[in-house]
C-alpha cells in the first residue's frame, strides 16, 4: 500500500493542475508512503524511529485507519490511477480493521515500545537492590558485626546520644568514624 500511495503521488505530480494544494497532497502521499514502507524494513534504526514517532502503524487498527485516511486523500487526485489506488488502499485499510476486530485473539500481539522508566522508578529500584545487598552482607557477617558493635559500644552510644541531641535542635546529624575495626 505504501508503494501504491507513492505511485499515486508521483502520477499526481506529473499531471498539470493549477492548484498548489493538489501538489501538497501529492507530496503528502509520497512522504507518507515512504513512512509506511520504512517502518517495515529490517533496518533496526528505521524500525526504532518508526516505533517512536508513529507507533499506531504497528497495530492493525491504527494501520487500518491510517490507510483509509490516505486512501481518501488519494481519491481526491485527478486520474484513473489515483482512483484505483484509492480503492485498493481503502480496501486494505478495511481488511486491517476487520482483522483487528474479529481475529485479535489469533493474531500475534502487537509489540509497542515500553516507555523508559523515570528517574524516581530507577532510583527506587536501585535503592531496593542496594538495601537488599547490604542486608544480606550484614546477615552473612552477623557474628563479625556483633563483635564489632560490642567492641565499639561506647562510641555507638555516644553517637546515638549526639544524634538525639541534634534532632532535638533540628540540626543535621554528623557522624564520625571512630570505630575500631579489627
Amino acid at each position: 500500500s505504501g508503494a501504491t500511495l507513492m505511485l499515486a503521488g508521483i502520477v499526481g505530480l506529473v499531471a498539470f493542475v493549477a492548484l498548489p494544494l493538489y501538489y501538497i497532497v501529492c507530496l503528502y502521499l509520497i512522504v507518507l508512503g515512504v513512512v509506511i514502507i520504512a517502518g517495515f524494513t529490517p533496518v533496526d534504526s528505521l524500525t526504532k524511529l518508526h516505533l517512536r514517532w508513529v507507533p499506531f502503524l504497528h497495530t492493525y487498527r491504527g494501520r487500518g485507519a491510517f490507510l483509509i485516511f490516505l486512501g481518501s486523500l488519494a481519491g481526491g487526485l485527478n486520474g484513473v490511477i489515483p482512483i484505483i489506488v484509492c480503492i485498493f488502499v481503502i480496501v486494505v485499510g478495511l481488511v486491517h480493521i476487520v482483522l483487528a476486530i474479529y481475529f485479535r485473539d489469533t493474531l500475534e500481539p502487537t509489540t509497542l515500545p515500553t516507555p523508559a522508566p523515570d528517574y524516581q522508578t530507577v532510583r527506587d529500584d536501585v535503592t531496593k537492590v542496594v538495601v537488599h545487598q547490604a542486608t544480606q552482607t550484614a546477615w552473612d557477617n552477623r557474628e563479625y558485626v556483633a563483635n564489632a558493635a560490642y567492641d565499639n559500644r561506647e562510641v555507638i552510644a555516644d553517637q546515638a546520644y549526639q544524634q538525639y541531641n541534634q534532632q532535638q535542635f533540628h540540626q543535621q546529624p554528623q557522624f564520625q568514624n571512630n570505630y575500631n575495626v579489627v
Side-chain angles (χ1 to χ4, degrees), residues 38-53 58:
F40 302 103
T41 58
V43 180
D44 286 342
S45 60
L46 281 177
T47 304
K48 287 179 184 176
L49 191 66
H50 204 259
L51 279 170
R52 178 178 178 163
W53 292 103
H58 291 271

Side-chain angles (χ1 to χ4, degrees), residues 7-123:
L7 174 71
I10 292 169
V11 168
L13 283 177
V14 174
F16 178 73
V17 177
L19 299 172
L21 184 61
Y22 185 83
Y23 293 108
I24 292 173
V25 170
C26 292
L27 289 174
Y28 273 149
L29 288 175
I30 293 171
V31 168
L32 295 175
V34 168
V35 166
I36 289 173
I37 292 172
F40 302 103
T41 58
V43 180
D44 286 342
S45 60
L46 281 177
T47 304
K48 287 179 184 176
L49 191 66
H50 204 259
L51 279 170
R52 178 178 178 163
W53 292 103
V54 283
F56 60 89
L57 288 181
H58 291 271
T59 65
Y60 285 101
R61 287 181 295 179
R63 194 176 319 126
F66 190 66
L67 288 174
I68 291 171
F69 168 72
L70 290 180
S72 66
L73 273 181
L77 300 179
N78 294 337
V80 175
I81 293 178
I83 297 299
I84 293 171
V85 168
C86 165
I87 293 169
F88 172 73
V89 172
I90 287 177
V91 167
V92 170
L94 288 173
V95 167
H96 276 87
I97 290 178
V98 167
L99 285 172
I101 293 172
Y102 291 107
F103 300 105
R104 70 173 166 232
D105 296 333
T106 58
L107 295 173
E108 75 178 53
T110 303
T111 56
L112 291 177
T114 58
D118 61 339
Y119 173 75
Q120 182 70 30
T121 305
V122 172
R123 191 181 76 189

